[in-house]
Amino acid sequence: MVIPKYVRAVKKQFLYMLWLQLGMFVIGVAFVIIINGLFNEDQDYACMGTLMALSGLIAGEALQLNNVDFRLAVLMGETRHHYLLWKPLVALVAALQGWLTAFCLYKLEMLLYSVVYPGYESGLPVGAAFKWPVVLLSAVAVSIICLFLGALYAKFGPKGTMTVWLIFWSGCMLIPQGVQQFQSGRTSLLAKLGWLTLTVVELLTPAMWGAVGGALLLCALAFSVRIYLRAEVRM
């Protein structure tokens, strides 16, 4: 069986993600040990090692967010249609590998803490992230998002993906603070953002939000296909 040219071009991505997750896991566990040793009397800090390993999954997928693999694949003779087939498939397999790695590290972390900290309880329900519907749906979403961000890079260059990342991380930092300020009775601009967020969230049921998310992913997929079929490839 002939290995597709795109797969040959990115075959080291799986190894990079594994090492990235292992490194971030060690950092997270060290962070827990330091916090529990110096500051936390209850010994119940969250499974930071597992959370860092899951972050490593996102960082590993982000390694694809450039136009190099697309250009290499096309210059090596891969058709654009084959690239559009293999890129999301590789991203999907990489995401599943990342979740499997994170799950194994989660079990290892819980075993470690049960020995080091008898009676340890995680401050967050991290185990819920490893239920198979969550893993499968998240892996599919990640593969489409990677294709979309790669298409943004192909169309607008690094500024396109950087703009999306900036908006995403800004939202992750500001929205929780805004919700907290609104619930505490403040009237700042950030609190108004929190009120707006809660209002929008309450408008739809979870099933409706799932439908919205699915529609957005389909739009992202359609956009990506259109961009890659027309993207210019230069030497």
Side-chain angles (χ1 to χ4, degrees):
M1 179 179 179
V2 179
I3 300 176
K5 296 180 178 64
Y6 172 70
V7 177
R8 280 185 280 169
V10 298
K11 60 183 179 182
K12 291 185 178 180
Q13 174 197 343
F14 300 98
L15 184 60
Y16 293 153
M17 178 179 289
L18 176 61
W19 284 113
L20 189 60
Q21 285 187 281
L22 290 175
M24 296 184 73
F25 172 77
V26 171
I27 293 173
V29 171
F31 186 75
V32 170
I33 293 175
I34 292 172
I35 290 295
N36 280 339
L38 299 179
F39 307 105
N40 193 7
E41 297 180 357
D42 296 330
Q43 308 293 316
D44 59 353
Y45 208 72
C47 291
M48 187 60 67
T50 303
L51 293 175
M52 293 290 284
L54 289 172
S55 299
L57 186 160
I58 298 174
E61 292 284 18
L63 294 174
Q64 300 182 72
L65 303 182
N66 56 66
N67 202 34
V68 175
D69 59 347
F70 173 65
R71 186 169 69 249
L72 281 176
V74 174
L75 291 176
M76 289 170 65
E78 189 79 84
T79 67
R80 295 168 187 260
H81 290 86
H82 283 174
Y83 177 83
L84 286 169
L85 170 65
W86 285 106
K87 182 178 177 67
L89 184 58
V90 167
L92 176 65
V93 174
L96 292 175
Q97 172 202 303
W99 248 282
L100 177 60
T101 301
F103 176 74
C104 294
L105 293 175
Y106 168 66
K107 292 297 185 180
L108 175 62
E109 186 173 23
M110 293 302 294
L111 177 62
L112 173 64
Y113 294 161
S114 67
V115 174
V116 179
Y117 308 120
Y120 172 87
E121 294 183 3
S122 175
L124 292 174
V126 179
F130 301 110
K131 294 182 178 180
W132 73 264
V134 175
V135 172
L136 184 59
L137 292 175
S138 299
V140 171
V142 164
S143 66
I144 295 176
I145 291 171
C146 283
L147 186 69
F148 171 71
L149 293 176
L152 282 180
Y153 195 104
K155 178 68 175 178
F156 303 107
K159 293 181 180 179
T161 51
M162 287 300 296
T163 299
V164 172
W165 278 114
L166 181 61
I167 293 173
F168 173 75
W169 287 112
S170 297
C172 289
M173 290 186 293
L174 294 178
I175 289 177
Q177 295 183 33
V179 171
Q180 184 178 13
Q181 288 196 14
F182 170 71
Q183 291 176 337
S184 64
R186 298 184 184 180
T187 58
S188 63
L189 182 60
L190 200 56
K192 292 180 181 179
L193 175 63
W195 168 81
L196 179 62
T197 301
L198 292 176
T199 301
V200 172
V201 168
E202 292 173 356
L203 285 176
L204 301 178
T205 64
M208 292 178 179
W209 278 114
V212 171
L216 290 175
L217 287 176
L218 289 177
C219 291
L221 180 61
F223 170 84
S224 304
V225 171
R226 179 181 177 86
I227 293 299
Y228 276 122
L229 289 178
R230 299 185 176 189
E232 182 179 358
V233 177
R234 297 179 180 179
M235 293 294 293

